[in-house]
Amino acid sequence: QAAATGSQGRAAMVLAPRHRRATSALPSCLASAVAVVASFVAARRALACIAPLLGGSLSWRFTEWRQMTDIVRGGASKAELRGAKDKEASAEFSGNLEPMASSGSSFAGMTFQADFLPEDITNLRGLSLDVARGDGKEYSVSLKLRGSIADAAHKFHFRAEEAATFEMPFKSFVPYLRGKPAPQPAPPLKLDRIESISFRIEGGEEQQMGPFLLALRGLSGLLGQEAPEKGPPPRETRWTCEACQTMNYEQFSTCTRCGAARGVELVEVVEERKAKALKQKWECSGCGAKNFPAAGECHKCGAPRS
C-alpha cells in the first residue's frame, strides 16, 4: 500500500506541472483566438470599404438625436427620428414642413453629435446613406463645423423615391450660408472640426411643404482618404518662348533662357511677314512711296491710288 501511495504521489508530482502549463497557456490561446477574429473582422471591413456608423447592424441611438427646426425663427415645422414600423427600414425621418409666416425658408431636421459616432470621421472619405424608400422630396445630409457661424454648414442634397444608396464623398459637400451657397472663397470642410451630422429638409418649393417621410436602413462611412486633385498639366501653367522654345513659369514675363519678352515672335517670322507685306504694297505714281493695299491715297504726297 505504501508503494502504491508513493507511486501515486510521484504520478501527481509528474502530472501537476503539465496541468499548470495547460492552465497558463489557456489565456494566451484565447488571446490568439481573439486576435484572429479581430484581424478577420478588420480584413472583411477593409474589403467592404465601409464602416457602419448608425443603423444597419448598429443602433440608431434615437435618444441622442436632437430636433432642429424653424421654430427658432418663429416657424411651426416639426421633425423626429424614430424606429421604423416595417421590416424594410430601421428608422424613419419624418415630420411636417409648415410655411413660414414671415420671410425666410422653412426647414426641419434632426442632428447627431459626431463625437458619438463609433468611427473617427477623419478616417473616412465620405458617407453612405442606405434609403429604404422616400417620398420624392429633396433632403440633405448636413455637416456643421465646430466654431462656425450660425446658419453655416456643408450640405449634400439628394432626392429619393425608391430604395437607393447614396454615396456622399466629403469633396461633394457644398458650403451653405443662410440657406444659400456660400460666397467664394468658401470655407473648406475640415474633417477634424465636424461637430454634428444632420438629416434635413427645407422649403423653397411648394412640393416640399407638408408631411414628409424618409425611411432609412443605415448610415455608413466610406473608408479611406481622398486622393489629392491633380492640377492642370504643365503646358497650361507655363508658356513657351517663341524665340528659343523654352518653357517658362506663368509668373515670368520674360524668357528665363534668352530674355525675350513673352509673346514676342521669332525674328525670322517677323521678317517674313514684312517681306510679304512689301510685295502687296502699291507704289505711288507721283512720289514713288510704298503704300499699304488698303490705302486709297499715298500716305506721303496724298495722291490718289491709280
Side-chain angles (χ1 to χ4, degrees):
Q1 183 176 2
T5 304
S7 61
Q8 289 177 358
R10 285 193 299 272
M13 291 176 64
V14 172
L15 292 175
R18 293 180 182 177
H19 177 70
R20 285 196 295 270
R21 284 198 298 271
T23 304
S24 61
L26 185 59
S28 61
C29 292
L30 288 175
S32 299
V34 170
V36 170
V37 172
S39 61
F40 173 76
V41 172
R44 185 175 181 181
R45 175 185 175 206
L47 184 63
C49 295
I50 60 171
L53 300 178
L54 295 163
S57 60
L58 302 178
S59 168
W60 277 98
R61 305 174 70 168
F62 294 112
T63 58
E64 295 175 16
W65 289 79
R66 297 292 179 265
Q67 180 181 241
M68 179 184 60
T69 70
D70 53 28
I71 292 178
V72 296
R73 298 179 183 173
S77 300
K78 296 181 179 180
E80 65 176 339
L81 187 71
R82 62 185 181 186
K85 299 178 181 179
D86 54 55
K87 296 182 180 180
E88 294 182 2
S90 57
E92 291 179 352
F93 172 52
S94 61
N96 195 65
L97 200 61
E98 295 284 354
M100 290 282 289
S102 58
S103 60
S105 178
S106 305
F107 68 91
M110 297 294 292
T111 184
F112 184 87
Q113 293 298 309
D115 291 340
F116 296 156
L117 293 174
E119 183 74 30
D120 188 342
I121 207 164
T122 59
N123 295 331
L124 308 176
R125 62 179 180 87
L127 302 173
S128 177
L129 183 63
D130 191 0
V131 176
R133 65 180 181 279
D135 51 14
K137 297 184 177 183
E138 185 180 70
Y139 295 86
S140 68
V141 173
S142 178
L143 304 176
K144 179 73 173 177
L145 298 184
R146 189 176 291 104
S148 62
I149 64 175
D151 297 331
H154 289 72
K155 301 178 182 179
F156 183 97
H157 289 89
F158 63 94
R159 193 183 297 271
E161 295 184 1
E162 301 176 349
T165 299
F166 296 92
E167 289 198 353
M168 301 171 282
F170 288 133
K171 65 179 182 180
S172 299
F173 280 74
V174 178
Y176 274 75
L177 179 62
R178 298 183 180 90
K180 298 180 180 180
Q184 298 295 329
L189 177 57
K190 295 185 177 181
L191 302 185
D192 58 349
R193 288 183 52 200
I194 294 179
E195 183 178 46
S196 63
I197 298 177
S198 305
F199 297 139
R200 187 177 172 110
I201 184 172
E202 299 176 2
E205 299 179 6
E206 185 176 351
Q207 64 179 17
Q208 291 285 103
M209 310 309 294
F212 63 87
L213 190 151
L214 185 66
L216 307 172
R217 293 194 181 104
L219 178 69
S220 302
L222 302 177
L223 292 171
Q225 302 292 328
E226 285 290 350
E229 295 184 1
K230 295 183 178 180
R235 291 192 176 273
E236 294 183 10
T237 59
R238 301 183 186 183
W239 58 274
T240 303
C241 175
E242 297 288 350
C244 66
Q245 301 301 306
T246 299
M247 294 188 68
N248 297 273
Y249 286 105
E250 188 71 24
Q251 63 266 30
F252 295 119
S253 58
T254 59
C255 178
T256 57
R257 182 179 181 185
C258 69
R262 181 175 182 177
V264 173
E265 297 177 327
L266 292 171
V267 176
E268 292 81 359
V269 176
V270 175
E271 293 299 328
E272 182 182 352
R273 288 183 179 177
K274 284 183 179 180
K276 187 177 181 180
L278 286 173
K279 292 180 180 180
Q280 295 177 347
K281 289 183 178 181
W282 58 273
E283 183 177 345
C284 176
S285 58
C287 66
K290 300 292 184 178
N291 296 276
F292 288 105
E297 59 181 26
C298 179
H299 72 281
K300 185 175 181 181
C301 68
R305 180 177 183 179
S306 57

